[in-house]
Amino acid sequence: WDLAGAELLVEHCDARVPGRVAAKGFWSLEDEIAAVRSVGAGADELGLSINWGRSAIEGHSTQTAVEHVRVTAAAGLLRAVILSGASDTETAWGPAWSDTHIPPRGTDAALAPSSSSLLGTQQITATLHAAGDVPRVAIKISVRPRDADVATCLSVARAALDQVAQA
C-alpha cells in the first residue's frame, strides 16, 4: 500500500436492477462497501466515490443518489461526490435514465438546454449535506450540441460550478 500519497477510490456505478437495463450494472453499494472493507486498507488509502447520476439511474430517483451518499458517508468510506446529472425523459443527451452527464438545470441561460436534468440546486444541496465533510466534489458534464464552441462549453461549466457554489 505504498501509494506515494495517492488514494484509490472505487466509484459506485449503477447496480444491476431486475427488470431494468443498467447503464453499467455492477455491484450494489452494499457489496462495494463490503469489498472495500474486506481489503483491510486504511480509510485514507481506499474509499468510495458516488456518481450522483448513476445512483439516480439505479433507483430511478433523485433520492437514491442522496441515500447512497448518506450510507457511504456513514460507513466512513466516502471520499468523493461526482455531480453528474440524469434525466427521466429523453433529451438531446439521449434516452431517459441514460448515463450521459447532462448538466444540472438552473436559471443561468447556459443551463437552458439541460432543463430536463433531475440535478438542480436543491439536489446538489441535499447531496452535499448528506456527504458532510467530503474531501472531493466534482462535476462531470457534457455539452449539447456536441459541436458547441469553446465559449459555450465554458459557460456551461461555469454555470454548473456556480450551482455547487450556491449549494
Side-chain angles (χ1 to χ4, degrees), residues 91-105:
T91 67
W93 283 261
W97 302 115
S98 58
D99 185 22
T100 57
H101 318 299
I102 185 172
R105 67 181 185 281

Side-chain angles (χ1 to χ4, degrees), residues 8-9 11 13-14 17 45 52 58 67-68 71 80 84 88 99 108-109 122 136 139 141 143 147 158 162:
L8 298 176
L9 301 180
E11 182 180 27
C13 295
D14 60 303
V17 175
E45 297 169 321
W52 191 96
E58 177 181 323
E67 185 60 22
H68 282 177
V71 166
S84 179
D88 59 355
D99 185 22
D108 190 298
Q122 282 185 312
R136 293 168 198 87
I139 291 206
I141 57 171
V143 177
D147 62 352
R158 281 188 195 107
D162 285 346

Side-chain angles (χ1 to χ4, degrees), residues 50-139:
I50 301 295
N51 179 308
W52 191 96
R54 289 191 186 145
S55 289
I57 290 167
E58 177 181 323
H60 283 201
S61 169
T62 61
Q63 289 306 306
T64 305
V66 175
E67 185 60 22
H68 282 177
V69 167
R70 187 181 338 276
V71 166
T72 306
L77 296 173
L78 184 65
R79 297 293 171 269
V81 172
I82 293 84
L83 298 166
S84 179
S87 180
D88 59 355
T89 61
E90 186 167 341
T91 67
W93 283 261
W97 302 115
S98 58
D99 185 22
T100 57
H101 318 299
I102 185 172
R105 67 181 185 281
T107 57
D108 190 298
L111 299 177
S114 58
S115 63
S116 295
S117 180
L118 296 173
L119 181 63
T121 302
Q122 282 185 312
Q123 291 74 29
I124 294 169
T125 300
T127 301
L128 295 179
H129 179 63
D133 192 21
V134 64
R136 293 168 198 87
V137 176
I139 291 206

Side-chain angles (χ1 to χ4, degrees), residues 5-27:
E7 183 179 351
L8 298 176
L9 301 180
V10 174
E11 182 180 27
H12 174 66
C13 295
D14 60 303
R16 189 169 308 282
V17 175
R20 290 192 194 148
V21 176
K24 302 289 183 195
F26 296 132
W27 287 356

